[in-house]
């Protein structure tokens, strides 16, 4: 930790000013100086940046250690880039291309920005919560001997105050408390303004209570040193400020000294006379802006005081747009200085014309050496960290044996076999589930490998010799992280585990399970994990109508469509156990491949007859998205195209219809997602002169040109119906389009037209049509 000498404070204050100017100028340049090709507003958030430059200067140039990782409030991204620019790790070219194609991103991006970004942010709330899960991953790695004490760091989230309205933060807070997380700092830029206006007063002080009740230390930085001293002298001013509503406070900050005077006079009368006499309008306006989040001494002191591992919430009061002409104005969120205002700011900050991009423009000769020395000593990573791949050795994954199996049971079996095998891969597997460990069939793995908790927890039922199939003791060595029922937490946990190679240099194999319908519950968090290129396996089971007796909202309909549109996530939907084994092997490989991705396995509890195989020729097709389970005859007029748990209906219909439709094929689709991607990718390359047909084109071209397809899936029919567009074949799409209901599978298959009769009718329709 740097020594807190007065010189450091001065240098930090200068850097605060530099960050405020450079972030504002970067946004100004993109909007008002750079040529515009389309006339659209480029945008950017000068006010949100100015709000946190002091906080970020104190953090990055003083408090952060080399192992610390930060999630930066999305709209303060330009400040992070300005920091790297001052450190010499960001180019002028990138700053000048802010929000341009290939330029520095609007919001910090791990994958797209050229500077090191620890966590991407953008969808507010998620960047906050992932820091707590990353801290848990750090504890996990340390406990498992994959990380030394010296390499440990702190996880910091820089938060907008309106961000605190996001529910996922509180879900995370609860989970973090259960797991006793530490080494987390969440620093709130408490400017009391959101996007639309000023924030509600009623939550004042409540945040502290919420956090404290979850074991956090809370530190409020309300007034800066100067304003605190004035309040100590004139306590009535402090009491009055305490009672001042947010909106009034912001309006006065915007209006400035004369307005403060008039309002204080009106409210306090003679009680404030001495105070007002001691300040002219200008010093009064400046004094009222001296909030904790802009006071370098207060920030450095607060950070220095919290050097233990207790999770800490700092609430730093700030002025949104501090030092800018629209400071405090309720509409300033996306406000941009006009050119006159930007030049006035430049002049006021002592930046000579033409030197706007000079890192230390306007810094006096006396101060420069101190500032440069501080920049040199700053211990944050300046290079993008290499990602860790190629660490896993992946064994062959044998298919579980059994003539009748469900894919969910096969999944449990494969993991159990891996756990028992002692193969090195098993050591890197971490499973996690939001209270559906047992019902998604992770139980056997957990029995083998145990739950993870830093503090040992005995299985009370086992100790009391109460019979149970499930062991439930937790220890430092456990490999399953049990979560409460909050699907957003599951995805953030998977994201943090899936970034373990990037954040800590040790790749883990995260496997998360949930019921398929509840993917929707945490969708943005899932997208967030994929956006950062976290690598994990998501096992969604049970799915579709095979949740028959549960009915209603438990029967998932659209997750295959979600997967079709989700980058970074590969959907596989096996019908048979051997397909699943191949897919899991592939999913493990994809986790460890720089060009890989995460995998979503949609599984079912329906036990079905397994097929007899003649060799392994089906496997490549299955991993590419589909294969002919029943090869079509030459120039076949029709095919059934089916996916997953409905394969028995498809097979039965194939048997029945084959007599009437010679050469009828049965295409088993294992991934509409991969087929679709392959199709569009082939089209894109065709424009460049490459004529290689995609996998689905090759499969379908075995049929007669005008052949008809009956598509069948336990999901929205659009998951497969698009296949007709590939070669312009007619389609009769069967699937589920309305909310579920309770019933046996035959009831439901009949009701939703997924049974043999429906397939026959559909086939007749396309053939006759
Ligand atoms: C999930 C989500 N919803 C909405 C937005 C749009 N949005 C961006 S910033 C913002 C307000 C942020 O206010 P605050 O967190 O207080 O940050 P400030 O700019 O005041 O520092 C909103 C609604 C978003 N980025 N993410
Ligand atoms: Mg705010």
């Amino acid at each position: 930790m740097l020594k807190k000498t007065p010189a450091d404070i001065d240098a930090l204050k200068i850097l605060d000013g530099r960050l405020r100017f450079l972030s504002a100028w970067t946004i100004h340049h993109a909007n008002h100086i750079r040529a515009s090709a389309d006339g659209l507003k480029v945008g950017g958030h000068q006010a949100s940046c100015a709000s946190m430059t002091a906080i970020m200067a104190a953090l990055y140039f003083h408090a952060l250690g080399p192992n610390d990782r930060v999630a930066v409030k999305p709209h303060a991204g330009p400040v992070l880039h300005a920091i790297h620019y001052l450190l010499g790790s960001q180019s002028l070219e990138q700053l000048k291309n802010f929000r341009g194609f290939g330029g520095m991103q609007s919001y910090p991006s791990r994958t797209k920005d050229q500077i090191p970004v620890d966590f991407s942010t953008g969808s507010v709330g998620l960047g906050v919560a992932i820091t707590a899960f990353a801290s848990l991953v750090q504890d996990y790695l340390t406990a498992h001997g994959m990380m030394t004490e010296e390499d440990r760091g702190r996880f910091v989230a820089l938060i907008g105050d309106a961000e605190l309205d996001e529910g996922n933060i509180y879900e995370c807070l609860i989970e973090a408390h259960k797991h006793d997380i530490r080494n987390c700092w969440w620093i709130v830029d408490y400017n009391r303004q959101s996007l639309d206006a000023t924030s509600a007063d009623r939550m004042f002080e409540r945040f502290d209570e919420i956090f404290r009740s979850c074991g956090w230390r809370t530190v409020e930085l309300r007034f800066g040193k100067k304003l605190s001293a004035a309040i100590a002298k004139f306590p009535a001013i402090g009491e009055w400020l305490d009672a001042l509503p947010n909106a009034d406070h912001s309006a006065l900050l915007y209006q400035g000294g004369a307005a403060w005077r008039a309002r204080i006079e009106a409210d306090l009368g003679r009680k404030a006379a001495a105070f007002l006499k001691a300040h002219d309008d200008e010093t009064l306006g400046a004094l009222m802006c001296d909030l904790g989040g802009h006071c370098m001494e207060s920030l450095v002191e607060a950070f220095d005081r919290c050097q233990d591992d207790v999770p800490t919430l700092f609430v730093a009061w700030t002025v949104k747009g501090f030092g800018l002409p629209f400071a405090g104005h309720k509409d300033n969120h996306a406000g941009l200085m006009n050119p006159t205002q930007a030049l006035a700011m430049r002049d006021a900050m002592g930046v000579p014309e033409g030197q706007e991009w000079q890192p230390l423009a306007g810094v006096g000769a006396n101060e420069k050496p101190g500032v440069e020395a501080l920049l040199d000593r700053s211990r944050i990573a300046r290079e993008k960290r290499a990602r860790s791949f190629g660490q896993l050795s992946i064994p062959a994954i044998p298919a579980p044996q059994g003539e009748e199996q469900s894919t969910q049971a096969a999944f449990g079996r494969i993991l159990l076999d891996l756990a028992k095998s002692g193969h090195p891969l098993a050591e890197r597997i971490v499973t996690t589930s939001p209270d559906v460990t047992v019902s998604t069939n992770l139980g056997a793995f957990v029995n083998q490998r145990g739950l993870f908790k830093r503090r040992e927890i005995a299985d009370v039922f086992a100790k009391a010799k109460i019979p149970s199939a499930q062991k439930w003791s937790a220890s430092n060595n456990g490999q399953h992280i049990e979560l409460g029922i909050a699907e957003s937490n599951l995805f953030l946990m998977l994201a943090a585990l899936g970034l373990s190679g990037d954040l800590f240099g040790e790749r883990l194999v995260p496997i998360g399970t949930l019921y398929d319908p509840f993917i929707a519950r945490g969708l943005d968090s899932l997208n967030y994990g994929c956006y950062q290129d976290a690598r994990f396996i998501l096992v969604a089971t049970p799915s579709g109508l095979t949740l028959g007796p549960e009915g209603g909202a438990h029967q998932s309909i659209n997750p295959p469509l979600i997967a079709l549109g989700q980058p970074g996530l590969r959907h596989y939907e096996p019908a048979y156990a051997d397909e699943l084994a191949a897919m899991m092997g592939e999913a493990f490989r994809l986790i460890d491949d720089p060009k890989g991705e995460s995998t979503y396995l949609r599984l079912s509890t329906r036990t079905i007859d397994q097929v007899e195989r003649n060799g392994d020729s089906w496997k490549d097709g299955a991993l590419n998205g589909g294969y002919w389970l029943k090869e079509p005859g030459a120039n076949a007029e029709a095919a059934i195209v089916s996916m997953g748990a409905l394969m028995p209906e498809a097979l039965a219909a194939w048997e029945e219809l084959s007599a009437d439709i010679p050469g009828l094929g049965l295409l088993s689709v294992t991934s509409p997602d991969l087929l679709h991607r392959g199709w569009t990718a082939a089209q894109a390359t065709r424009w460049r002169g490459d004529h290689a047909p995609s996998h689905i084109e090759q499969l379908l071209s075995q049929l007669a040109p005008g052949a008809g397809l009956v598509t069948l899936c336990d999901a929205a029919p659009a998951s497969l119906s698009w296949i007709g567009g590939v070669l312009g074949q007619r389609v009769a799409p069967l699937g589920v389009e309305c909310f579920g209901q309770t019933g046996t599978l035959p009831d439901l298959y009949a009701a939703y037209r997924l049974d043999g009769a429906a397939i026959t009718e559909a086939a007749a329709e396309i053939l006759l049509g």
Side-chain angles (χ1 to χ4, degrees), residues 735-754:
V736 182
E737 276 178 303
C738 37
F739 291 118
Q741 50 190 315
T742 50
T744 63
L745 279 185
D747 292 338
L748 298 177
Y749 287 167
Y752 292 101
R753 295 196 71 245
L754 296 169

Side-chain angles (χ1 to χ4, degrees), residues 48 73 75 122-124 160-163 166 189 191 193-195 320 333:
S48 305
K73 178 184 85 168
H75 22 303
S123 179
V124 300
D161 57 318
E163 207 167 350
E166 282 291 0
D189 171 359
N191 59 30
Q193 284 182 236
S194 57
L195 186 155
K320 187 154 175 171
H333 183 74

Side-chain angles (χ1 to χ4, degrees), residues 176 266 332 386 390 463 510 624 678:
N332 68 8
K463 266 183 133 177
N624 280 324

Side-chain angles (χ1 to χ4, degrees), residues 724-739:
V726 173
L727 297 183
Q729 286 155 330
R730 281 164 302 131
V731 170
L734 301 179
V736 182
E737 276 178 303
C738 37
F739 291 118

Side-chain angles (χ1 to χ4, degrees), residues 501-520:
D502 308 64
L503 294 172
F504 307 105
E506 289 292 338
R507 194 150 288 281
L508 294 171
V509 177
I511 301 178
T513 66
L514 86 173
Y515 296 176
D516 196 48
F518 303 129
I519 285 179

